[in-house]
Amino acid sequence: MSITNLRKMFLENAKHSGWIEVICGSMFSGKTEELIRRLKRANFAHQRVQIFKPAIDVRYSEENVVSHDKTAIQSIAVDSSQNVLLYATDVDVVGIDEVQFFDEGIVDVCTILANRGIRVICAGLDMDYLAKPFGPVPALLAKAEFVTKVHAICVRCGQPAQYSHRLPSITDANKDKQVLLGEQDKYEPLCRHCFNQALKAEGRKEDILE
Ligand code: ZN
């Protein structure tokens, strides 16, 4: 990668052209940590940073984007993608955490912001617990200039993991939800092999493509 591209990627010069970056992966893969790392660097470069997250995500704090290692930065919780557009004024960099929970309109919102010269960094789950593409994330991945897929570690074999396996102890009442918020202990990161083994053990053969 050229120096110019590296500069663009980590971006200390966001004023003249915008773009979209997506950080995706399973639970426990460090998506939010990577988002925060990039936003902090933008801060160091004296850029104006604004962070959004869906109002649905109230696990730790109304005010902060908090990663699981307790690193926090201030954020605005919004209940629709249009509100991101409304509040993203006088900024150079917009961060959006848990982007999978936004409505499909978030794709156009990110595009509009990038077209205005803003660097947009989205972080979110690319797949749900059944390994189905999650909400607006697939479209965002297609529209983004830069895509980073981060991995957790498979708790069963130690290989890189890309699946958020829901532990079978989940009660029937919650089974339909795509991801249960704030229920970190209800999931485990698994690699492809171990994920398929787990689904087989649970009698979910219809969810495995063979
Ligand atoms: Zn594994």
Side-chain angles (χ1 to χ4, degrees), residues 154-160 190-195:
C154 177
V155 294
R156 300 193 184 180
C157 77
Q159 287 203 64
L190 295 180
C191 72
R192 181 180 299 275
H193 173 76
C194 295
F195 180 70

Side-chain angles (χ1 to χ4, degrees), residues 65-80:
V65 168
V66 184
S67 69
H68 308 306
D69 69 359
K70 303 290 191 289
T71 315
I73 33 179
Q74 285 241 307
S75 72
I76 300 177
V78 290
D79 56 11
S80 79

Side-chain angles (χ1 to χ4, degrees), residues 104-121:
E104 293 287 337
I106 197 68
V107 182
D108 285 346
V109 167
C110 290
T111 302
I112 291 167
L113 292 174
N115 289 348
R116 289 179 183 170
I118 294 169
R119 177 189 180 192
V120 183
I121 314 172

Side-chain angles (χ1 to χ4, degrees), residues 1-17 19 21 37-38 41-42 45 47 93 119 121 146:
M1 190 181 282
S2 72
I3 295 294
T4 308
N5 283 342
L6 279 173
R7 280 181 65 85
K8 280 189 175 177
M9 188 90 192
F10 296 108
L11 227 355
E12 274 71 70
N13 185 16
K15 282 181 184 160
H16 303 299
S17 82
W19 59 83
E21 299 166 36
R37 191 187 72 83
R38 294 184 191 184
R41 288 174 64 88
Q47 293 175 352
V93 182
R119 177 189 180 192
I121 314 172
F146 303 106

Side-chain angles (χ1 to χ4, degrees), residues 19-140:
W19 59 83
I20 301 171
E21 299 166 36
V22 178
I23 304 159
C24 67
S26 68
M27 295 174 77
F28 313 105
S29 63
K31 299 179 298 296
T32 301
E33 287 83 351
E34 177 59 17
L35 174 66
I36 290 171
R37 191 187 72 83
R38 294 184 191 184
L39 294 173
K40 279 184 175 171
R41 288 174 64 88
N43 252 335
F44 293 151
H46 306 292
Q47 293 175 352
R48 295 164 299 175
V49 176
Q50 184 61 65
I51 306 138
F52 297 94
K53 67 176 182 179
I56 187 176
D57 182 21
V58 291
R59 275 176 292 188
Y60 302 106
S61 162
E62 293 290 338
E63 297 292 320
N64 296 322
V65 168
V66 184
S67 69
H68 308 306
D69 69 359
K70 303 290 191 289
T71 315
I73 33 179
Q74 285 241 307
S75 72
I76 300 177
V78 290
D79 56 11
S80 79
S81 58
Q82 288 305 308
N83 282 340
V84 174
L85 210 50
L86 204 62
Y87 292 117
T89 54
D90 296 323
V91 291
D92 302 304
V93 182
V94 166
I96 304 174
D97 198 21
E98 302 288 358
V99 71
Q100 76 276 1
F101 291 127
F102 278 94
D103 54 277
E104 293 287 337
I106 197 68
V107 182
D108 285 346
V109 167
C110 290
T111 302
I112 291 167
L113 292 174
N115 289 348
R116 289 179 183 170
I118 294 169
R119 177 189 180 192
V120 183
I121 314 172
C122 301
L125 292 168
D126 47 4
M127 292 185 278
D128 67 13
Y129 74 103
L130 286 175
K132 303 282 189 289
F134 207 139
V137 177
L140 271 174

